[in-house]
Amino acid sequence: MMVLAGAGSGKTRVLTRRLAYLILSGAASPETILAVTFTNKAAREMRERVLELLGLDAPSGVAHRFWIGTFHGMGARMLRQQGKYLGYDPDFTILDTADQERLAKRICDESSFDHKYWTPKRLINHISRWKDDGITPDRLDEVNEREFLNPGDKTRVHSFYQSYQESLMRANAMDFGDLLLNCLELWRRHPDLLAHWQHRFGHLLVDEYQDTNAVQYRWAAQLADLHKNLCVVGDDDQSIYSWRGARLDNILHFKDDFPDVTVIRLEQNYRSTGNILRAASELIKHNQGRMEKSLWTEDDDGRKIDLFTAESSEDEARFVASEIGALCPLGDFSRAAVLVRASRQTRAIEEGLMRQGIPYQVVGGLRFMDRAEIRDALAYLRLVHSARDDVAFERVVNVPKRGVGQVAMAKIRAVAMQESVPLLEATRRLVAAGGISGKAKTALKDFVMLIDEARQICQLESPAMALAHLLDRSGYVASLDGHEKRDEKMDNLAELRGVLVRSESLTMFLEETALVTDMHESGEPSPNRVVISTLHAAKGLEFPYVFLVGMEEETLPHSLAVNEGAEGLEEERRLAYVGITRARERLYLTHARKRWMYSEPTFPMPSRFLRELPAEVLEDRGPKFSVKFGASGSIGLPSGGSRPFGGGGGSPRFRLR
């Protein structure tokens, strides 16, 4: 079954009701249903809704029988049980992007791979994308030659990719791409293990199907191949992640891949007013690569969409701030959101809100788990959990500084390579054999002892006690004395310890913290703050008042996407559609006559998407002046109606409060 669920039509409700019905009707038991989505937030919401429908509490025994989670989380859960058939221990570490880049830098240093273009970060980005497409090192020939500067680069990158995978295996670690790719490799080598999961899961439910990549598609299709009970929910009009591997064809060609499919369209919108829906529907109709559906609502038309033409970025920001002040007179600023195409647009908006004294939050900013002190603490815990975690070892062996320099590290790496042991074990052997002297010898001996003590405390007492011991005995807490953000860092570490206390085990804690750094995850909106967000990060959110700013050529649509041709332009139109459908009651569209880019003034043209909106749903809030749009002439709307880009003079109308 494929459920085409338009924006605001209740797709999460469909999935959760279906899942609960399967159980309540006796058609399936909790452990025979696999439900997957993309973010931990969405998985958590799905799980909570199902438990509520079943009349159960989260701590109940039944809750643990559910297989509801992210693609990566479910892949990790399967590999914890069967990864041994690929050579992994059950306590394998999951590396996030920062850990991957650290490992890549070490490999580059060891192999003298020094290239201006192929930096560690770029190498990791390419490998992550290749893994999403199912490209392993032995299949690199399938990659388009244009991705490499020259044939010599392809050979060097291939060698790096192989070394990277070998390093992961030695460290008993996987990155995000491996969590699904290794499942497919496991099933290829051991069809009986695939059969185990196929018999186990009689029903498979997939949320946000339009965002699946090649590997996620294969993973789900193989699991559902026995019982054919595959139910996917998605919206092709909200497919906006091709840049990170999502394949729109997965949903457009679902009927071809699964001929016996039943297609159900959910077209009633329960979120937005009639005028907002009319604008969104007319806009998205200009896309060719889509499945036909039309959103409608029983609600009234509501206010027209406000269209504001600003003189400059600062003028635009002043207008946005003054309107938010008028819309939220009682200070409930969380009802408003400002959506941008590119993060560079937020600076002027932030300054405008600050001048008005309006609190705001940038969604997708620095997350809790990305803070330096948290990453340090997690690295210590990972090394306690797995002595083979070389990436964690290299992060904390000299944190806080304990006199372990490059010479000592070179000796440790040499022993590790010669004797095929992890860095921690190499350190233990090097110190015991007297292969290192001076301050470094004492520091490394104490470091090894510290990890051993923490591991024992973790087993005999608790992981939280082990963390306290690590931070104290290592000198980490003392090293924060005098730091301008000492109190904030200590609070963060205390919060981490509190989370650890509530976790089932150190293994589960580390897995959850690793998976929460998935790139699909965005920050949670805070109470009483205006949300400033990119359009990509805003997907899944909704607000009474939405300001979609910077509706200009080369911003929305973005210049890079336009250069990609029709497919790039259609994804930009879907992005604008997503932004418009975030609004419940009021929608503002703004563009500016002049902006500054790289210290140079630019005079952007209004976005072509504005021309594609029906005139009758727009209300002009800006100055009157003539605008030409490339070779197609004036953007003017039909005579007799509102002309947002009409002639005349005047200045922007905004009220300061």
Side-chain angles (χ1 to χ4, degrees):
M1 176 184 291
M2 178 169 65
V3 180
L4 281 177
S9 62
K11 65 179 180 56
T12 304
R13 180 185 177 91
V14 167
L15 272 184
T16 52
R17 292 272 170 169
R18 178 179 175 88
L19 204 159
Y21 174 79
L22 287 171
I23 296 171
L24 291 174
S25 67
S29 58
E31 62 269 16
T32 65
I33 304 173
L34 177 61
V36 289
T37 184
F38 282 87
T39 69
N40 290 283
K41 175 189 173 185
R44 186 167 55 250
E45 181 181 348
M46 192 186 303
R47 192 180 302 112
E48 289 172 353
R49 286 200 196 185
V50 170
L51 290 175
E52 183 179 353
L53 289 170
L54 297 177
L56 300 171
D57 295 324
S60 67
V62 176
H64 295 284
R65 293 163 56 192
F66 282 107
W67 282 69
I68 301 175
T70 63
F71 277 96
H72 292 117
M74 296 298 95
R77 190 169 174 181
M78 291 174 174
L79 291 170
R80 295 284 182 204
Q81 296 185 28
Q82 298 178 341
K84 61 185 178 182
Y85 295 103
L86 292 178
Y88 290 93
D89 292 338
D91 63 348
F92 62 80
T93 301
I94 302 171
L95 302 190
D96 62 15
T97 304
D99 293 326
Q100 289 176 266
E101 290 179 16
R102 181 184 291 270
L103 176 58
K105 186 177 185 307
R106 177 165 67 81
I107 295 171
C108 287
D109 290 342
E110 291 175 351
S111 61
S112 300
F113 188 166
D114 185 15
H115 198 290
K116 289 184 178 179
Y117 180 79
W118 290 105
T119 61
K121 183 173 184 177
R122 182 168 275 114
L123 286 164
I124 290 303
N125 286 340
H126 276 73
I127 286 175
S128 295
R129 186 157 47 81
W130 291 335
K131 288 186 177 182
D132 287 342
D133 288 336
I135 304 296
T136 50
D138 58 302
R139 295 178 56 193
L140 209 57
D141 288 340
E142 299 176 24
V143 174
N144 193 312
E145 293 291 340
R146 288 180 296 179
E147 291 199 34
F148 304 96
L149 298 180
N150 56 64
D153 280 359
K154 184 172 183 178
T155 301
R156 298 175 71 191
V157 171
H158 178 260
S159 178
F160 173 87
Y161 194 177
Q162 286 183 314
S163 297
Y164 173 75
Q165 289 302 112
E166 290 167 1
S167 295
L168 287 176
M169 177 63 76
R170 283 197 302 271
N172 193 40
M174 301 185 197
D175 59 24
F176 280 106
D178 290 326
L179 295 176
L180 296 181
L181 200 54
N182 278 341
C183 282
L184 296 180
E185 178 62 18
L186 180 70
W187 300 339
R188 185 186 68 81
R189 296 187 196 177
H190 304 279
D192 57 312
L193 299 182
L194 171 60
H196 163 79
W197 296 115
Q198 289 176 332
H199 283 91
R200 167 75 178 268
F201 298 120
H203 293 269
L204 178 60
L205 292 79
V206 182
D207 191 18
E208 302 285 9
Y209 191 72
Q210 77 282 347
D211 293 334
T212 54
N213 59 39
V215 167
Q216 289 162 340
Y217 165 81
R218 288 170 54 197
W219 186 85
Q222 288 189 34
L223 286 173
D225 193 48
L226 177 64
H227 295 291
K228 310 295 184 183
N229 285 328
L230 173 63
C231 174
V232 304
V233 180
D235 182 6
D236 53 309
D237 290 334
Q238 295 188 71
S239 178
I240 58 175
Y241 297 117
S242 67
W243 51 277
R244 64 188 186 203
R247 293 192 173 186
L248 179 60
D249 284 349
N250 287 353
I251 192 167
L252 293 182
H253 296 161
F254 192 84
K255 290 192 293 185
D256 300 327
D257 298 335
F258 303 95
D260 297 330
V261 66
T262 297
V263 179
I264 297 175
R265 286 174 168 80
L266 298 184
E267 297 175 308
Q268 182 175 2
N269 177 284
Y270 299 93
R271 176 189 299 159
S272 306
T273 62
N275 282 328
I276 293 173
L277 286 186
R278 196 169 300 120
S281 295
E282 287 300 315
L283 174 69
I284 204 64
K285 282 180 182 177
H286 288 78
N287 274 5
Q288 299 299 314
R290 64 185 296 261
M291 304 178 76
E292 191 62 37
K293 57 183 174 298
S294 298
L295 294 181
W296 60 276
T297 180
E298 291 182 345
D299 293 340
D300 57 30
D301 287 343
R303 287 284 300 262
K304 288 188 176 183
I305 296 170
D306 294 272
L307 179 61
F308 180 73
T309 303
E311 293 292 336
S312 64
S313 302
E314 290 70 28
D315 184 13
E316 180 183 60
R318 283 193 294 268
F319 171 77
V320 169
S322 64
E323 287 294 310
I324 290 176
L327 292 168
C328 307
L330 301 180
D332 186 10
F333 296 112
S334 61
R335 293 172 59 80
V338 183
L339 307 183
V340 301
R341 172 61 179 89
S343 56
R344 60 174 167 78
Q345 297 173 256
T346 68
R347 181 200 59 79
I349 298 296
E350 290 184 61
E351 290 182 0
L353 293 175
M354 284 190 288
R355 289 195 184 99
Q356 294 276 18
I358 296 175
Y360 67 87
Q361 172 199 11
V362 180
V363 171
L366 187 63
R367 294 167 296 186
F368 180 78
M369 292 298 176
D370 292 333
R371 301 177 189 276
E373 63 274 15
I374 300 302
R375 297 189 67 82
D376 290 339
L378 289 174
Y380 267 113
L381 287 170
R382 281 168 41 196
L383 193 55
V384 168
H385 181 251
S386 174
R388 293 169 58 183
D389 195 333
D390 288 349
V391 178
F393 176 93
E394 295 212 38
R395 181 179 181 97
V396 296
V397 68
N398 203 37
V399 175
K401 293 189 180 300
R402 49 174 62 93
V404 181
Q406 291 300 316
V407 174
M409 283 305 303
K411 290 182 179 180
I412 293 171
R413 293 192 188 105
V415 171
M417 186 170 296
Q418 291 167 6
E419 303 186 19
S420 299
V421 295
L423 295 177
L424 183 63
E425 178 59 26
T427 303
R428 192 189 308 275
R429 296 183 185 186
L430 190 63
V431 171
I436 200 162
S437 60
K439 185 178 180 181
K441 177 181 180 180
T442 303
L444 289 170
K445 181 180 180 181
D446 290 345
F447 179 75
V448 172
M449 187 181 301
L450 172 69
I451 300 301
D452 289 342
E453 290 171 351
R455 185 173 295 117
Q456 189 172 19
I457 292 172
C458 188
Q459 294 170 349
L460 298 178
E461 297 185 53
S462 70
M465 291 291 290
L467 176 60
H469 180 78
L470 286 164
L471 296 175
D472 182 42
R473 281 290 306 277
S474 67
Y476 194 92
V477 171
S479 72
L480 297 178
D481 290 342
H483 195 287
E484 61 179 350
K485 294 186 177 181
R486 180 190 183 281
D487 291 344
E488 178 184 332
K489 289 178 177 290
M490 290 298 293
D491 286 345
N492 289 337
L493 291 170
E495 175 68 17
L496 182 71
R497 188 167 182 264
V499 176
L500 188 53
V501 167
R502 298 189 294 272
S503 295
E504 292 180 31
S505 65
L506 182 56
T507 299
M508 292 299 298
F509 169 79
L510 291 174
E511 181 170 310
E512 289 167 3
T513 54
L515 292 174
V516 82
T517 60
D518 186 309
M519 62 185 175
H520 295 79
E521 208 77 35
S522 61
E524 291 285 337
S526 300
N528 201 33
R529 291 179 181 272
V530 172
V531 167
I532 302 176
S533 172
T534 63
L535 287 164
H536 286 99
K539 186 168 174 291
L541 304 177
E542 58 181 75
F543 305 88
Y545 317 127
V546 168
F547 294 78
L548 184 47
V549 301
M551 292 288 291
E552 297 143 15
E553 289 294 300
E554 299 194 353
T555 298
L556 186 64
H558 197 281
S559 56
L560 294 178
V562 173
N563 291 337
E564 294 175 358
E567 289 186 4
L569 180 60
E570 292 205 353
E571 178 148 336
E572 290 294 295
R573 189 176 283 110
R574 291 194 294 270
L575 200 54
Y577 173 85
V578 166
I580 290 172
T581 54
R582 298 311 94 196
R584 295 206 297 260
E585 301 170 20
R586 294 286 297 274
L587 174 64
Y588 292 78
L589 305 176
T590 71
H591 68 99
R593 299 178 66 183
K594 182 178 79 172
R595 293 191 190 275
W596 288 85
M597 286 285 289
Y598 310 113
S599 301
E600 296 289 337
T602 63
F603 303 91
M605 299 299 294
S607 170
R608 69 190 73 190
F609 298 152
L610 294 176
R611 187 176 58 188
E612 297 171 355
L613 301 178
E616 62 271 16
V617 304
L618 300 175
E619 179 176 335
D620 179 23
R621 295 290 303 278
K624 313 288 190 195
F625 63 94
S626 180
V627 175
K628 295 293 182 181
F629 191 92
S632 63
S634 172
I635 298 184
L637 297 173
S639 59
S642 171
R643 292 180 58 84
F645 307 104
S651 58
R653 297 190 295 274
F654 60 86
R655 298 179 295 280
L656 294 176
R657 290 178 174 80

